[in-house]
Structure formats: C-alpha cells, structure tokens
Amino acid sequence: MRTNTILFTGAAIATVIALAACNKPADNSATPTASDAASAAATPLASDAAAPAAMPTDTAGFVTAAATTDMYEIAAARIALAKSHDPEVKKFAQRMIHDHSATTAKLKKLIADKKVSATPPADMDARQKGMIDKLNAAAPADFDKTYIGQQIAVHDEALGVFKGFAAGGDNDALKTFASSTAPTIQDHDDMAHKIQTGLK
C-alpha cells in the first residue's frame, strides 16, 4: 500500500468490478452495472475482510470514513484485549485504542474550532458492525487470525482514504490532518502484517 493514491484507487475500483463480475450469471453482459458494484462493495470478502470502500474527496464523506474507522478500531481492540491470549496481539490492540482515540480527538477539535463543517456519525456503519459481530463470535482458536486479518484489510483501506483525501480533498485543514495521520496508519498496517506472519 505504499503506491500512490491513483494506483490504490484504481486497484479498489478493479476489485469492485471483479467482485461484481464473479457474482453475475454467465449469460449476462460482462459490463457491471452500478448496482452490481454497489452490492460488491457492501459485501464482506470471504476472508472476513472489508470490501473496498469509495475514496471520499468531500469533507462530509471523509469525516464519516475517519470517524467510523476510529469507532471500529477502538471497539475491535477492546474485544481483542478481552479475547486474545497472544501478547503481541494485545499490545497491538492497546496501540489501536491509544492512536485511534487520539485521531478522534484531533478530528473533533477541527470541528469544534470550525475549521471543518461536518457532523460525524454517532455509530459505525452496518459493515463495520458486522465485522465486530464476527470478532465477538470467533472461536478462541480463530480469534487472533480473524482480528489481525480485519486489521490488515481496514488499515489498507484507510491508508487509501487518507492519502486520497490528502491529495485531492476539499478542505485544507482536513487535508493536513489526513496527510499527518497517514504515516501512523501505515505503521499500524506494517505492525499487523508482522503479527500475521507470526500467528500459528
């Protein structure tokens, strides 16, 4: 995920089209419709990862994406602290609570200071709630792989969202916030990948 935003966005779009094509009957046109792409983007992948989301360049869309991602990360990390027995996973979860609480506070301050005119949602979206449900339902032997798999997918996606807004967003204060936050997201992504290689 260290490629530029344009390549990431193209990859996300290609993934959506590929998923839509796989779900269509053989006798249909090979060109996916808008409803096909929307359905594919809303459907979690078989690996329990999140499907690619749209890359918002508008203030409201970015605020929603950033706020709900923080909500998911904090909720998922709390479950990991309660269910995981792996010290590295628990350490990672503590870091997620700390860092995503910090980004939530920074975003709220931008809004309070009237540098950003948008209202964050009060809760996660349906897809994120479904991922939390899967964490809660995961068997102890499967929990760490499920959690870290979700973390890689979510941080991969978030990295594209933040880099994309930093490059082409419509609010300068948010663009600075996105640009300064992207390295932390990359760090999280790298940590998750490293933990995944050590899981049995």
Side-chain angles (χ1 to χ4, degrees):
M1 298 308 304
R2 295 177 176 82
T3 56
N4 60 38
T5 305
I6 295 173
L7 289 178
F8 181 93
T9 305
I13 293 169
T15 302
V16 170
I17 293 172
L19 287 172
C22 290
N23 290 327
K24 293 177 71 177
D27 59 351
N28 279 357
S29 170
T31 303
T33 65
S35 61
D36 290 328
S39 175
T43 304
L45 303 179
S47 62
D48 194 33
M55 301 299 161
T57 55
D58 64 294
T59 292
F62 178 78
V63 167
T64 294
T68 57
T69 296
D70 279 348
M71 290 178 204
Y72 158 79
E73 286 291 351
I74 293 168
R78 287 174 176 159
I79 297 169
L81 289 176
K83 296 188 69 171
S84 178
H85 297 290
D86 187 305
E88 290 302 311
V89 172
K90 292 172 82 73
K91 181 179 178 180
F92 177 84
Q94 291 276 18
R95 173 80 181 270
M96 294 307 101
I97 291 173
H98 177 273
D99 288 357
H100 287 281
S101 294
T103 54
T104 294
K106 288 177 183 177
L107 184 60
K108 287 182 176 180
K109 188 174 188 310
L110 288 174
I111 294 170
D113 291 346
K114 301 189 184 302
K115 293 181 179 179
V116 173
S117 180
T119 302
D123 203 355
M124 293 175 280
D125 63 29
R127 182 182 59 162
Q128 291 160 335
K129 288 179 180 179
M131 294 171 74
I132 291 296
D133 288 344
K134 288 180 181 179
L135 288 179
N136 281 319
D142 300 327
F143 178 81
D144 289 340
K145 288 182 180 179
T146 301
Y147 173 62
I148 294 300
Q150 286 188 4
Q151 289 300 300
I152 289 171
V154 169
H155 282 97
D156 280 354
E157 181 180 302
L159 192 59
V161 170
F162 275 70
K163 284 186 174 182
F165 194 87
D170 62 1
N171 178 285
D172 288 341
L174 270 185
K175 287 173 72 173
T176 299
F177 167 74
S179 179
S180 64
T181 303
T184 300
I185 298 172
Q186 182 67 69
D187 191 29
H188 294 172
D189 199 27
D190 292 343
M191 290 169 64
H193 277 282
K194 184 176 180 180
I195 292 171
Q196 187 181 56
T197 62
L199 293 177
K200 297 179 180 179

